[in-house]
Amino acid sequence: MTAHQPTAPADLSTETEVALERAATSHRHHELFSARASKIKQSAVRDVFDISLRPGLVSLAGGNPFLQSLPLEKIGGMAYKLVTEHGLTALQYGGGQGMEKLREQICEVMAEEGITDADPGNVVVTVGSQSAQDVACKVFCNPGDTVLCEDPTYVGALNTFEAYEVNVEAVAMDDRGLVPDELRRRIAEVRSAGGNIKFLYTIPNFNNPSGITLAAERREEIVRICQQANILIIEDNPYGLLRFDGQPIPPLRAGHPADVIYMGSFSKILAPGLRIGWALVPAHLQRRFYLASEAVTLCPPTLNQMLVSEYLDGHDWRGQITNYRDLYAERCLAMLSALEEYMPPGVTWTRPEGGFFVWVTLPPGIDTYPLLHRAIDAGVVFIPGAAFTPSDEPSNRLRLAFSAVAGDRIREGVRRLAPVIAEAIEAGTAERTG
Amino acid sequence: MTAHQPTAPADLSTETEVALERAATSHRHHELFSARASKIKQSAVRDVFDISLRPGLVSLAGGNPFLQSLPLEKIGGMAYKLVTEHGLTALQYGGGQGMEKLREQICEVMAEEGITDADPGNVVVTVGSQSAQDVACKVFCNPGDTVLCEDPTYVGALNTFEAYEVNVEAVAMDDRGLVPDELRRRIAEVRSAGGNIKFLYTIPNFNNPSGITLAAERREEIVRICQQANILIIEDNPYGLLRFDGQPIPPLRAGHPADVIYMGSFSKILAPGLRIGWALVPAHLQRRFYLASEAVTLCPPTLNQMLVSEYLDGHDWRGQITNYRDLYAERCLAMLSALEEYMPPGVTWTRPEGGFFVWVTLPPGIDTYPLLHRAIDAGVVFIPGAAFTPSDEPSNRLRLAFSAVAGDRIREGVRRLAPVIAEAIEAGTAERTG
């Protein structure tokens, strides 16, 4: 049991789940589990999924996009037309790589951010980008291999890495993202200890959970370091287009078609319930990647691909993204000003330029995991920082999501959270001085 | 390169693909591939996927369901309503296990076949049943473990097994399915050679590709053998409800909740393009299975789950299945009578009681793989038998699908195929006597 997958506190876990886990290990079938099976744990994000739905509670936990501003009438009409007029295609099996037209449109989406040389033939449509991460591990990772990532990083990627039994090694970030010298140092360190590094997994824009963005001037250097070390880069960029102000920073993939597997998603710019993501794969890796993807799901859902394609064709999706940017910018501001107003001294937080999340740091020595309990009692939910790190240490950090909740509720949530944190700081101080 | 994943003949493979494969192995990134990556090959079914679409060709290759008889207007209306009235749920993330209501309805579907004690809590909704097979391997198989299966068996399952680097050992079938004594013998054989058997993968009803059904009176015995040997059973049953006449034979899972992971799918009774399948998992294995599934795709597509749920609620789905049964029965008959009429002596075939496929056997010594070329020239496509076997030997068998093609086209396809086969038999005879 590693810290980033903490056991749910007793009252968060249902009795049934505990009983089932006991049954799993007592039954004779227990002998049949794979070595990896025991490493696949409940994500802390999922632990609080049900709790988040309790009425009255303010959930700053889940990074759900705010779908209210979508043109539902229009999308519904598209779905109707696809099924009634093109149902024999939309409801049938499709190719394992995804529909050609959608792959062409995905190249247009990527061009918005600065990837202008993408070939639709190198795009593989996947069941969300979670599935693309799974496929990347399948194609590159043997048990015991090493994967580098930011610390903190996306909990879902950590879950996938565990399922492939890889060693996850963190590279330090500062407020401008991954530190190139730290990357060099970690590569040397891991290699001198005999580690076999396969790729660097990075979320360069508005990192989940920290909200930190990798500075433009560091990007070339990061690619060059990995190139020289013969390490692939997995660039996970679901939030890139959701920058609050100014132009997007070109992805690491821009200008480096052979070095980066770029992963994108319609979950944040359209709708996660469609489960349509993609990978843009270097030409020399495309075939292996696509075949592995096909072996997992046969093909991505056809109706969903066509619906995304229709939406991109028939709606001002760029305008929709502008709406989202304005909305999330406003909510982020609401969160930052509430933090400013309510948080006790000694608490700091990031100021993201886009995305969904603010990362809050408490004084050293305070574990935010047990605080979750008290926060729920106070009527607010967050995700403890330990969920997002490959380290086994307790974390004095927590993630707050501003994406799904209106400004006044964000404010109320932070107001409820502040005394819980203040109390923990006082208790910590009392302990040290007592 | 094993026989069941034969290289496409030169003119079936595009030059680009060959070039990409060469690039993959010449680039420095080649060092980064996982051990399993090289084992994931293009499926022979996919080889002929594009060819099957050529105008004029009769495709007896793909096992696509015939969707023309679906109530598309009604399903389109449901999709419209779901997006416009429930879009905030339908387009949002959902739980990793799948929607509770759909899981309850899935239990009703399974009850149609004789599984009357299923608990929705033990159902995990997956992205097609292909994904359920992938998850089963993830949870149970270490590289080098052994999986038992019928010979022939589903090519997609073989692809998944290869991706998990398991040894696939075939158990002999006769015209009443898996032979219990053969199963006993193989278990003993594999174990005495040090093999670690994790599960028996079986398609008991109208096996893909053979069309053979496991006799009712053998089912209890098969379960008992696996129970005693502490081997799980993976029962893949996408076609079970498509029995042409009479009542369904109860699945192996019926009455054996602790011994069988049952996999079902809406691909054949509704629409494969939705990619909604499921696994009914023994209670003591449910949690591990569900978490592994979540680590692959986060959650199955919400809109698709709700659409299936609406369809089950708002349409006479049992009546629709009856329509399908009648349709496929008629097409099967068309194929059997065309085979009777056109095939030369020495060729035999199965007479399926349901499903999509007829399995044709040529005289020994004739490899059907090179015949595919000539068949395409003659205007018909099939899948060579080697695709469906874990064996490395050439196969004198081939699969014909009757599901997607109208009766007169089936007849025309068989008429075109017959001289290709007759010629091969003559050549074979000439060789032996010459």
Side-chain angles (χ1 to χ4, degrees):
Chain A
M1 177 88 38
T2 63
H4 81 268
Q5 294 284 35
T7 316
D11 58 337
L12 298 185
S13 238
T14 65
E15 279 182 33
T16 321
E17 278 177 350
V18 172
L20 285 175
E21 188 60 24
R22 193 171 305 135
T25 49
S26 67
H27 195 282
R28 243 180 110 203
H29 287 151
H30 176 235
E31 301 164 25
L32 301 178
F33 282 126
S34 65
R36 72 178 81 78
S38 62
K39 308 214 168 127
I40 307 173
K41 302 268 164 49
Q42 177 91 21
S43 124
V45 175
R46 291 292 168 158
D47 280 347
V48 299
F49 189 87
D50 291 337
I51 294 165
S52 297
L53 303 174
R54 281 190 206 160
L57 219 62
V58 177
S59 176
L60 305 176
N64 285 4
F66 184 76
L67 302 179
Q68 275 83 340
S69 70
L70 280 178
L72 293 180
E73 184 65 33
K74 199 168 180 177
I75 297 174
M78 288 170 177
Y80 172 77
K81 206 175 147 187
L82 284 172
V83 174
T84 53
E85 294 180 21
H86 307 282
L88 301 186
T89 307
L91 300 176
Q92 192 55 274
Y93 290 111
Q97 195 182 344
M99 286 172 47
E100 193 170 349
K101 183 175 175 194
L102 178 60
R103 288 187 277 112
E104 285 165 7
Q105 292 169 306
I106 284 171
C107 291
E108 288 170 35
V109 174
M110 291 189 288
E112 286 293 302
E113 279 204 281
I115 300 175
T116 52
D117 59 354
D119 177 344
N122 294 327
V123 173
V124 178
V125 180
T126 57
V127 180
S129 68
Q130 186 78 29
S131 177
Q133 290 159 27
D134 176 76
V135 171
C137 288
K138 202 175 270 268
V139 173
F140 297 106
C141 297
N142 295 317
D145 282 349
T146 297
V147 160
L148 302 176
C149 69
E150 288 140 1
D151 186 359
T153 193
Y154 171 51
V155 58
L158 288 172
N159 285 346
T160 302
F161 298 153
E162 294 225 324
Y164 283 86
E165 301 172 89
V166 298
N167 300 318
V168 182
E169 297 290 342
V171 181
M173 301 171 79
D174 60 20
D175 58 3
R176 293 160 65 234
L178 270 182
V179 181
D181 281 342
E182 284 296 312
L183 178 58
R184 273 193 202 90
R185 197 179 62 78
R186 290 298 278 148
I187 292 172
E189 217 169 63
V190 169
R191 288 194 165 160
S192 73
N196 189 13
I197 307 172
K198 292 306 182 74
F199 56 74
L200 165 69
Y201 171 80
T202 174
I203 310 163
N205 295 314
F206 333 124
N207 168 289
N208 176 0
S210 74
I212 292 172
T213 294
L214 178 61
E217 64 276 16
R218 286 187 182 174
R219 297 190 174 205
E220 277 292 318
E221 195 177 352
I222 299 277
V223 176
R224 220 169 40 244
I225 294 168
C226 290
Q227 238 172 16
Q228 283 163 2
N230 197 31
I231 293 169
L232 275 167
I233 295 176
I234 308 276
E235 178 173 30
D236 189 10
N237 192 25
Y239 311 101
L241 288 170
L242 300 174
R243 165 173 288 277
F244 304 148
D245 282 308
Q247 288 305 305
I249 304 178
L252 282 76
R253 165 59 180 75
H256 297 289
D259 306 294
V260 179
I261 296 179
Y262 176 93
M263 293 179 182
S265 171
F266 289 102
S267 291
K268 309 305 192 282
I269 58 172
L270 175 52
L274 298 176
R275 312 304 302 121
I276 298 291
W278 71 88
L280 172 64
V281 185
H284 60 283
L285 303 173
Q286 182 275 344
R287 192 172 159 79
R288 292 271 164 92
F289 196 95
Y290 140 62
L291 291 176
S293 182
E294 190 172 88
V296 176
T297 50
L298 222 52
C299 62
T302 321
L303 174 62
N304 307 238
Q305 293 183 71
M306 290 173 81
L307 190 54
V308 172
S309 179
E310 273 298 297
Y311 171 84
L312 294 173
D313 242 8
H315 186 68
D316 175 18
W317 60 271
R318 289 177 182 85
Q320 178 68 35
I321 288 175
T322 306
N323 291 347
Y324 275 138
R325 287 164 51 156
D326 294 348
L327 175 88
Y328 295 133
E330 195 185 300
R331 290 181 173 188
C332 182
L333 205 63
M335 182 168 278
L336 293 176
S337 71
L339 287 165
E340 202 66 59
E341 180 168 355
Y342 295 115
M343 280 296 148
V347 179
T348 58
W349 51 88
T350 55
R351 282 167 184 79
E353 296 163 14
F356 285 9
F357 308 110
V358 170
W359 187 235
V360 178
T361 302
L362 276 53
I366 299 177
D367 182 359
T368 54
Y369 199 74
L371 292 191
L372 178 55
H373 262 111
R374 282 174 252 162
I376 291 168
D377 290 342
V380 59
V381 199
F382 63 85
I383 309 278
F388 304 98
T389 164
S391 147
D392 283 344
E393 301 299 308
S395 168
N396 62 330
R397 287 163 166 157
L398 56 90
R399 188 189 82 175
L400 299 179
F402 52 78
S403 55
V405 186
D408 58 331
R409 296 293 289 165
I410 290 173
R411 196 178 168 74
E412 174 61 18
V414 173
R415 198 189 63 78
R416 292 176 185 179
L417 181 60
V420 174
I421 290 179
E423 201 181 298
I425 294 175
E426 273 163 42
T429 312
E431 209 168 273
R432 274 194 296 278
T433 60
Chain B
M1 178 84 41
T2 62
H4 81 268
Q5 295 283 34
T7 316
D11 58 337
L12 299 185
S13 238
T14 65
E15 280 181 32
T16 322
E17 279 177 349
V18 172
L20 286 176
E21 188 61 24
R22 193 172 304 134
T25 48
S26 67
H27 194 281
R28 243 180 110 203
H29 287 151
H30 176 235
E31 301 163 25
L32 302 177
F33 283 125
S34 65
R36 72 179 80 79
S38 63
K39 308 215 168 126
I40 307 173
K41 301 268 164 53
Q42 177 91 21
S43 122
V45 176
R46 291 293 167 158
D47 281 348
V48 298
F49 188 86
D50 292 337
I51 294 166
S52 297
L53 302 174
R54 281 189 205 161
L57 220 61
V58 177
S59 177
L60 305 176
N64 285 4
F66 184 76
L67 302 179
Q68 275 84 338
S69 69
L70 280 177
L72 294 180
E73 184 66 33
K74 198 167 181 178
I75 296 174
M78 289 169 177
Y80 172 78
K81 205 174 149 189
L82 284 173
V83 174
T84 54
E85 294 179 21
H86 307 281
L88 301 186
T89 307
L91 299 176
Q92 192 55 275
Y93 289 112
Q97 195 182 344
M99 287 172 48
E100 193 170 347
K101 183 175 176 197
L102 177 60
R103 288 187 278 113
E104 284 165 8
Q105 292 169 306
I106 284 171
C107 291
E108 288 169 35
V109 174
M110 290 189 290
E112 286 293 302
E113 279 204 280
I115 300 175
T116 52
D117 60 353
D119 178 343
N122 294 328
V123 173
V124 178
V125 180
T126 57
V127 181
S129 67
Q130 186 79 30
S131 178
Q133 290 158 28
D134 176 76
V135 171
C137 288
K138 204 175 268 269
V139 173
F140 298 105
C141 296
N142 295 318
D145 282 349
T146 297
V147 160
L148 302 176
C149 69
E150 289 141 0
D151 187 0
T153 191
Y154 172 51
V155 58
L158 289 172
N159 285 345
T160 302
F161 299 152
E162 294 225 325
Y164 283 87
E165 302 173 87
V166 299
N167 300 318
V168 182
E169 298 289 343
V171 181
M173 302 171 80
D174 60 21
D175 57 2
R176 294 160 63 234
L178 269 182
V179 181
D181 280 342
E182 284 295 314
L183 177 58
R184 274 194 202 90
R185 197 178 63 78
R186 290 298 278 149
I187 292 172
E189 217 168 62
V190 168
R191 288 194 164 160
S192 73
N196 189 12
I197 307 173
K198 292 306 182 74
F199 56 74
L200 165 70
Y201 171 78
T202 174
I203 310 161
N205 294 314
F206 332 123
N207 168 289
N208 176 0
S210 74
I212 292 171
T213 294
L214 178 63
E217 64 276 15
R218 287 187 181 173
R219 296 189 174 206
E220 277 293 317
E221 195 177 352
I222 299 279
V223 176
R224 219 168 42 243
I225 294 168
C226 290
Q227 239 173 15
Q228 283 163 1
N230 197 32
I231 293 169
L232 275 166
I233 295 175
I234 309 276
E235 178 173 30
D236 189 10
N237 192 25
Y239 310 101
L241 288 170
L242 300 175
R243 164 173 288 279
F244 304 147
D245 282 306
Q247 287 306 304
I249 304 178
L252 283 75
R253 165 59 180 75
H256 297 290
D259 306 295
V260 179
I261 297 180
Y262 176 93
M263 293 178 182
S265 172
F266 289 102
S267 290
K268 308 306 192 282
I269 58 173
L270 175 52
L274 298 176
R275 312 305 301 123
I276 298 292
W278 72 88
L280 171 65
V281 184
H284 60 283
L285 303 174
Q286 183 274 344
R287 192 171 159 80
R288 292 270 164 94
F289 196 94
Y290 140 63
L291 291 177
S293 181
E294 191 173 87
V296 176
T297 50
L298 222 50
C299 62
T302 321
L303 175 62
N304 307 238
Q305 292 183 71
M306 290 173 80
L307 190 54
V308 172
S309 179
E310 273 298 297
Y311 172 83
L312 294 173
D313 243 7
H315 186 67
D316 175 19
W317 59 272
R318 290 178 181 85
Q320 179 67 36
I321 289 175
T322 306
N323 291 347
Y324 275 139
R325 287 164 52 155
D326 294 348
L327 176 88
Y328 295 134
E330 195 185 301
R331 290 181 172 189
C332 182
L333 206 63
M335 182 168 276
L336 293 175
S337 71
L339 287 165
E340 202 66 61
E341 180 167 355
Y342 294 116
M343 280 296 148
V347 179
T348 58
W349 51 88
T350 55
R351 281 166 185 77
E353 296 163 14
F356 285 9
F357 308 110
V358 170
W359 187 235
V360 178
T361 302
L362 275 54
I366 299 177
D367 182 359
T368 54
Y369 198 75
L371 293 191
L372 178 55
H373 263 112
R374 282 173 253 164
I376 291 168
D377 290 342
V380 59
V381 200
F382 63 84
I383 309 279
F388 303 99
T389 164
S391 148
D392 283 344
E393 302 298 309
S395 168
N396 62 329
R397 287 163 167 158
L398 56 90
R399 188 188 83 175
L400 299 180
F402 52 77
S403 55
V405 185
D408 58 332
R409 296 294 288 164
I410 289 173
R411 194 176 169 74
E412 174 61 18
V414 173
R415 197 189 64 76
R416 292 176 185 180
L417 181 59
V420 174
I421 290 179
E423 202 181 297
I425 293 176
E426 273 162 43
T429 313
E431 210 170 88
R432 275 194 297 278
T433 60

